[in-house]
Amino acid sequence: SVRLAGQSALGATFSDSNLTVYTNTPDLTPCFQNSLLAWVPCIYLWAALPCYLFYLRHHRLGYIVLSCLSRLKTALGVLLWCISWVDLFYSFHGLVHGSSPAPVFFITPLLVGITMLLATLLIQYERLRGVRSSGVLIIFWLLCVICAIIPFRSKILLALAEGKILDPFRFTTFYIYFALVLCAFILSCFQEKPPLFSPENLDTNPCPEASAGFFSRLSFWWFTKLAILGYRRPLEDSDLWSLSEEDCSHKVVQRLLEAWQKQQTQASGPQTAALEPKIAGEDEVLLKARPKTKKPSFLRALVRTFTSSLLMGACFNCSGLTTLPLASKPASYLVSPGSILIRFISDPTAPTWWGFLLAGLMFVSSTMQTLILHQHYHCIFVMALRIRTAIIGVIYRKALTITNSVKREYTVGEMVNLMSVDAQRFMDVSPFINLLWSAPLQVILAIYFLWQILGPSALAGVAVIVLLIPLNGAVSMKMKTYQVQQMKFKDSRIKLMSEILNGIKVLKLYAWEPTFLEQVEGIRQSELQLLRKGAYLQAISTFIWVCTPFMVTLITLGVYVCVDKNNVLDAEKAFVSLSLFNILKIPLNLLPQLISGMTQTSVSLKRIQDFLNQDELDPQCVERKTISPGRAITIHNGTFSWSKDLPPTLHSLNIQIPKGALVAVVGPVGCGKSSLVSALLGEMEKLEGAVSVKGSVAYVPQQAWIQNCTLQENVLFGQPMNPKRYQQALETCALLADLDVLPGGDQTEIGEKGINLSGGQRQRVSLARAVYSDANIFLLDDPLSAVDSHVAKHIFDQVIGPEGVLAGKTRVLVTHGISFLPQTDFIIVLADGQITEMGHYSELLQHDGSFANFLRNYAPDENQEANEGVLQHANEEVLLLEDTLSTHTDLTDTEPAIYEVRKQFMREMSSLSSEGEGQNRPVLKRYTSSLEKEVPATQTKETGALIKEEIAETGNVKLSVYWDYAKSVGLCTTLFICLLYAGQNAVAIGANVWLSAWTNDVEEHGQQNNTSVRLGVYATLGILQGLLVMLSAFTMVVGAIQAARLLHTALLHNQIRAPQSFFDTTPSGRILNRFSKDIYVIDEVLAPTILMLFNSFYTSISTIVVIVASTPLFCVVVLPLAVFYGFVQRFYVATSRQLKRLESVSRSPIFSHFSETVTGTSVIRAYGRVQDFKVLSDAKVDSNQKTTYPYIASNRWLGVHVEFVGNCVVLFSALFAVIGRNSLNPGLVGLSVSYALQVTLSLNWMIRTLSDLESNIIAVERVKEYSKTETEAPWVLESNRAPEGWPRSGVVEFRNYSVRYRPGLELVLKNLTLHVQGGEKVGIVGRTGAGKSSMTLCLFRILEAAEGEIFIDGLNVAHIGLHDLRSQLTIIPQDPILFSGTLRMNLDPFGRYSDEDIWRTLELSHLSAFVSSQPTGLDFQCSEGGDNLSVGQRQLVCLARALLRKSRVLVLDEATAAIDLETDDLIQGTIRTQFEDCTVLTIAHRLNTIMDYNRVLVLDKGVVAEFDSPVNLIAAGGIFYGMAKDAGLA
């Protein structure tokens, strides 16, 4: 340094402690000022340059037009450069003229000059790159100003001391330099205009972060505007900023997909390579290929995608740690400035400015750390959000391509769980990722400093810590196993709930709720048991970690004092080591959290990876490009299976379909007709052969798939609107009449799964979608079975047949309706997965094969069809038959031939009276919303919205919600927990005060005397604190599990008892959300949050108590700080709560859209809409992100502002200690400063946990809301049970009966009065909307009477419990619904019948052959919704249920829909023989099924129009005659 500064008069030394430290007016030596101090900013800028240039190269935002601001900045830079050169030339001038200036006067101006030039060039380069506010330069100018302040002061002091200015030239240039640098700094804080061509100009509401200045970004000031807005009024969607480009789903998901595909190609690479050398002999090849099957790793793909974010977060974390002499937050400030502060107070001779400087340093370093760490967190959380988005997108895309066998394995519920729970896990664990490396670093540093202070005794403490790690590890391993089991229970509970909600109507009709209730509660019981075990373990680990720092301090200090009599414990040693142990505690506390988070995430990672590795449909299995000329579809030797491990469903098919042909596919139930269509769509596994389909495809599945959007959107299905074609589609599919009935015409919103349409309407919408799509090839899977026969005829003529709109297109029609077959071009007959015959109708008749027999029995005699006159004759025949049938009910057995003829004759004339299930469902829907939302009915009618919007609550969470939760926990428990916490904190303060008193013990002969007493008391207090912590954790567990049990039970019981109308208007997703997300929060999130809140609240209180007790002056500052804190808290809580609510409302559409997509994948793929659906899903995820992003920012905004309060507490407690240093002892100062340092964290956590609690307690609010919905009548009325064996004869009587769907609506049935004798067979017919289904629903009291009553065997059904009533009636519903479980469970959930009974019913329902062919027999597992049975088989299972119950009254609701004619006959025959002496009410689709009934009831607009025997009605020539005439029966 002497050589550098030269031997000039300016002072030859680099540093001089007399000048700098031990004086009341400190100063730095001129040499230091001129060299190092001037170089600091330059070194910084050159060091930052390479990284910054790299960043600018890769981030181009358009360029900014040259503005006055930019010109001014540049001018200042040039001036500064000039000043430096002037200084340099002045030094050369001195050299020339004989005086020899020190080398520093050449080096410094040169370095500064070049740096200023660089800064000027950077200003322009940034402008061209579109940077509006440059952090790098702001910091540079700030450093320049700070480094110039010291010479600024010392030059003046020197001039005053000398009485004259020694070097006037340099004196002048320095002050000009200072002024310019100050101006440059101020100017750099202003922002440039937005760059040209930036996307911002298009954005309506861009995120202010992008355009915020450097300081605004650093302190998150840009968020303040939204915080204020959120405080003034509840935020709405329109207030939220739009997403930046790199956060949008399509970008993020694409990146992850690419990385994952790379992983897949890498994983499949080695296998293929290993298989190539076939010549080496088979065995060798196999051996070689085996070990190399490595799975693609999803984790690697994630890391690849998000490397940059991870690195950036790590950099922030590093710099956050290095801003301090020591590693981590709370106590770190204590270590250097803090320990010097204690030393300063112990030393009365020290100059006072030391104290103030220390206080200032503590404040500055902690503020720096606050700012940097929050940047780190922001970076990490945004990355976490992107990870979640990417995972959701990847799972969605995968779900669109999985094979059917995978779909069987993963239910919709499980896939939704992957999306919601597992993707969320990644988001939750991301903030901890950097701990993996920073925690060990902090531990090592802390141990190093401890060694410095306490020597080898520190190792005793470290040993304790090391010993506790395996213990913690063991606990967390055990917790992981519980976690996995609990996830399984949760999955199965949600799956079961989703089935219950899907089949709730069936459960009600059969009175089966109790068994399902028991099943759910059984699963819940096991789930809670695991939760309880896990929570106890958690409590034990909490105990360990609260006691750890304490035990460590105790043992270390004990060893230190006992090892050597001369080791004296003074304030500095005690409190600095205590602080260091606190630092150790942080990473060690977070480690268990990190470990459990990591274990959970690894479970999730594995689940997601397994799902992503499942088989996908082979897009190449159907050849789309080439085909033999003139053909539209060819299959050559095709063998297909539903999954690779199942036997083939279809084998050796050879089909060639010419362009424009109409092909019918017929065959018995379960012979593979639908499978054939799936094979053409490429939905099945092709085992061998080739399939070619040329042209675009439209597909109408057997069970219509309807989206939850308007009817019009369902028909257009993503195609642009063409009014003419649209009108034609509606007309030909007979939808115009329905549009008049629907409340909003074609703008009516269709509920989930098409809930507010009847079966027939759904099918016709699905068909209209196909017609509108205008494809080349139409695959129609039995679209005519769900509609009435006259509608079916209309549709065939207008759409499918040779005269229809689709004439000239290629059509493949799976059908059970024989009447259409003669009009087809050719027919494919399937049996057992093989084609038995193929050819034109007439060919097949001559052929005399199975088909010909089938037709001879069923098909109408052609000349009869030709001869109109026969119809007259037919009438008499009907009468004849009627007589014969009424006398011989057992005719079916004795004279099958006549019966067959009659049956055939009836069928040929068959006509359908009405349109599917629930003509009145639309009416019911129309008003659902009107009452809920208090909107006038007319308005609802116009909009046609059906599903009530899920409304986000606004404003404060009501106190009643907390009270509800406290009551569920138990009031005594709650009080006990509060007291335990207070006690535990009092003990902790006691222990620290004791320690501070110990340090002030007077030394005698260099020793402290009563060491053993001191140690003993300290130990007792510590252990007591640990026990109280553990006790409070245990109590909380007991309370929380109790609350979880009560809340879930209330919710479940209420939901199962809710009336049917509730389920029609509430999407199942919304109810499921209560059972999954909200119950999860109550189970696992609330209790820890409450514990944390208590922790931070009591810590904050005890801090203030301690500081005020030691430095009473502090009272003055408490009030203003508390007011500021209160303000921040109010702003934050209001805004973040609303953001959280918006977030949860925007979350459910993601999952309901997903479950809708999964059920409709085959349709989506067939129409080629996969891409559009991806975009749709992305849009839904993005709207959810829009709410999450500001929520993340709000947490950072809060953090920065609250920590500012905390830093002020530190500053003032230190300042007051300095001011009152004469009256304070060092022990007390140590105590108050160590507490002050912890306050930042606890204040921050307090607000955070408070608002977390607010946003999570909403779960209780939502669960409560659905636990209080209205319920049905009681299931059983003990006071009024039905008599044993009721109903004996089955007399049904309606007396003056009226019903409406809801109070305030018009009546659906009006003054219905009728009397049905026991054992009578009554057919119910009527046009759509006549009230047929409503009548049956009234019988089961799904709808309650408006007036009048129903008597069965003279007992008023309204007077007995619902289950007493429903269990004694039987219905075969229109939609056959099965539940996942064994076949036995589906037939007899209560286990009331023996195996023989069940087999007998299976025999009667023609299922026994199928069931006995299954290896498991009655324990055959039905999949969710019975998907592994064909629709016909499901219908037969429903028949078997009815046979098993064998009650006196049977209701048939169009139970003959999706069944081929043979099965239909079987069922009708079975019903005639088995229910001979029962009362049967049939809602008829085809008149032929009821022509032999005793009487027919004709309903018209809810009134009895006609009620008599079919013969009399036809003779009377009324409505029924009209219907029969339409059908050619009269």
Side-chain angles (χ1 to χ4, degrees), residues 1313-1435:
T1313 304
L1314 59 114
H1315 189 279
V1316 178
Q1317 295 300 338
E1320 220 182 343
K1321 310 284 178 283
V1322 176
I1324 305 172
V1325 295
R1327 301 270 178 214
T1328 301
K1332 306 188 297 295
S1333 294
S1334 316
M1335 189 172 145
T1336 55
L1337 293 178
C1338 298
L1339 206 55
F1340 286 84
R1341 282 178 63 197
I1342 298 282
L1343 297 178
E1344 295 284 7
E1347 51 179 304
E1349 48 264 338
I1350 301 177
F1351 289 89
I1352 298 181
D1353 276 10
L1355 184 69
N1356 186 342
V1357 297
H1359 292 167
I1360 55 173
L1362 290 179
H1363 279 187
D1364 282 354
L1365 167 68
R1366 290 172 185 170
S1367 58
Q1368 298 308 323
L1369 310 175
T1370 307
I1371 186 169
I1372 301 182
Q1374 182 182 21
D1375 295 336
I1377 290 187
L1378 303 188
F1379 299 94
S1380 62
T1382 60
L1383 187 65
R1384 179 191 271 107
M1385 195 272 319
N1386 267 298
L1387 292 170
D1388 174 30
F1390 292 99
R1392 288 176 183 157
Y1393 302 96
S1394 66
D1395 278 10
E1396 295 84 66
D1397 292 342
I1398 296 178
W1399 277 109
R1400 195 162 54 248
T1401 54
L1402 289 176
E1403 193 72 52
L1404 291 168
S1405 52
H1406 312 284
L1407 273 173
S1408 56
F1410 167 74
V1411 179
S1412 45
S1413 73
Q1414 297 298 327
T1416 45
L1418 285 178
D1419 294 325
F1420 169 72
Q1421 279 291 333
C1422 303
S1423 63
E1424 192 176 359
D1427 286 340
N1428 51 352
L1429 297 173
S1430 73
V1431 181
Q1433 285 167 323
R1434 277 179 254 167
Q1435 200 78 59

Side-chain angles (χ1 to χ4, degrees), residues 99 520 702 735 865 1480:
S99 72
V520 176
Q702 191 168 5
L735 277 167
E865 205 170 73
V1480 179

Side-chain angles (χ1 to χ4, degrees), residues 435-466:
L435 278 176
L436 286 175
W437 60 267
S438 69
L441 181 73
Q442 292 181 31
V443 172
I444 291 163
L445 280 173
I447 291 173
Y448 168 74
F449 280 105
L450 277 168
W451 181 279
Q452 297 279 315
I453 297 172
L454 299 177
S457 339
L459 292 180
V462 175
V464 175
I465 289 178
V466 171

Side-chain angles (χ1 to χ4, degrees), residues 550-575:
F550 189 83
M551 297 281 293
V552 171
T553 316
L554 177 71
I555 288 172
T556 313
L557 295 182
V559 170
Y560 178 70
V561 176
C562 301
V563 168
D564 183 355
K565 281 277 179 244
N566 298 328
N567 281 349
V568 172
L569 193 63
D570 60 7
E572 189 188 332
K573 284 199 180 99
F575 283 105

